[in-house]
Amino acid sequence: QKEVEQDPGPLSVPEGAIVSLNCTYSNSAFQYFMWYRQYSRKGPELLMYTYSSGNKEDGRFTAQVDKSSKYISLFIRDSQPSDSATYLCAMIRAAGNKLTFGGGTRVLVKP
Amino acid sequence: EAQVTQNPRYLITVTGKKLTVTCSQNMNHEYMSWYRQDPGLGLRQIYYSMNVEVTDKGDVPEGYKVSRKEKRNFPLILESPSPNQTSLYFCASSLSGGPANTGELFFGEGSRLTVL
């Protein structure tokens, strides 16, 4: 079983809809959580970083962490066609230096 | 412009022919790492380096070598490539202390390698 599970999609939504993405993990040692966005033929880029349970908002993006359920989410409000990409969750153990990634969810926002 | 540069971007080679994928960053980052990305498996770490002359294995180091003789460069060496090393490879770098400090890895644009 993978340490981090993520639905591969694709997830297709109309422009303006809310995109909801999530990851589950099995190792309670993970303490830091990230979401990366990857456009086709590009390297991933960091979207959100959080290290505590609860919500973190940045513009149209909200990251949610529930450590008790080992579950993290990313919400994209007012989605745009430019949000079409693969979204990867990632996490790090406390005092660790290795990111463990989920497999990524491909998102398509249709105009 | 701050960036991580990988070369070559695309390469087709044959089994057993040694190859090196170069990686260079201009951000004075101490931490550097190599990943491979495969469908359904996501990004998996091959090797990482906390600083010059300090390297360590990631999750899938078999068949790969690395060296870190200068801060800016972190080449990935495939001594005897095999078809199961056909993949998309990414180099990444981060500030001092590694990605746990800020969560941010800066990735190159990837190198697509095919081993026949």
Side-chain angles (χ1 to χ4, degrees):
Chain A
Q1 185 187 3
K2 293 179 188 175
E3 281 191 291
V4 181
E5 297 279 358
Q6 188 175 4
D7 189 318
L11 179 62
S12 183
V13 299
E15 183 175 355
I18 295 175
V19 176
S20 175
L21 304 165
N22 56 73
C23 287
T24 58
Y25 60 97
S26 56
N27 193 334
S28 59
F30 288 126
Q31 296 294 315
Y32 305 94
F33 305 92
M34 288 130 275
W35 286 95
Y36 279 79
R37 177 175 63 196
Q38 185 177 20
Y39 290 115
S40 181
R41 296 188 180 87
K42 296 288 186 181
E45 55 182 351
L46 181 68
L47 270 180
M48 301 284 283
Y49 169 63
T50 183
Y51 52 86
S52 58
S53 285
N55 292 354
K56 180 177 180 179
E57 198 170 307
D58 185 359
R60 296 185 295 115
F61 299 92
T62 299
Q64 203 170 70
V65 174
D66 182 348
K67 289 185 179 180
S68 63
S69 301
K70 298 190 184 68
Y71 188 90
I72 67 171
S73 300
L74 178 71
F75 301 97
I76 308 173
R77 289 184 299 280
D78 187 24
S79 58
Q80 304 295 311
S82 59
D83 294 325
S84 297
T86 296
Y87 290 80
L88 302 140
C89 64
M91 41 199 82
I92 307 175
R93 294 172 178 80
N97 291 302
K98 182 170 77 77
L99 263 70
T100 300
F101 284 87
T105 300
R106 190 161 148 246
V107 172
L108 300 169
V109 181
K110 296 185 175 179
Chain B
E1 180 189 354
Q3 59 187 2
V4 178
T5 304
Q6 298 178 225
N7 278 297
R9 295 287 313 280
Y10 301 92
L11 179 63
I12 299 174
T13 189
V14 295
T15 298
K17 187 175 181 181
K18 181 180 177 180
L19 68 92
T20 299
V21 186
T22 64
C23 174
S24 182
Q25 51 91 5
N26 62 0
M27 295 170 279
N28 202 35
H29 284 169
E30 293 185 354
Y31 179 97
M32 297 186 75
S33 183
W34 276 102
Y35 291 83
R36 60 178 290 174
Q37 187 173 35
D38 302 289
L41 297 176
L43 282 157
R44 293 178 294 166
Q45 190 177 49
I46 303 170
Y47 270 95
Y48 68 96
S49 170
M50 294 296 292
N51 212 327
V52 175
E53 302 290 3
V54 181
T55 62
D56 209 346
K57 296 177 181 178
D59 294 318
V60 289
E62 296 79 18
Y64 305 94
K65 284 176 57 177
V66 293
S67 68
R68 186 92 182 273
K69 299 191 184 308
E70 303 168 281
K71 198 172 188 178
R72 63 183 291 129
N73 296 323
F74 190 44
L76 180 69
I77 303 157
L78 285 74
E79 293 272 3
S80 183
S82 61
N84 64 11
Q85 293 179 296
T86 292
S87 187
L88 179 59
Y89 291 86
F90 286 100
C91 181
S93 70
S94 183
L95 291 167
S96 172
N101 280 352
T102 63
E104 187 155 26
L105 279 175
F106 293 85
F107 284 85
E109 297 215 319
S111 296
R112 184 165 291 283
L113 171 65
T114 302
V115 183
L116 302 175

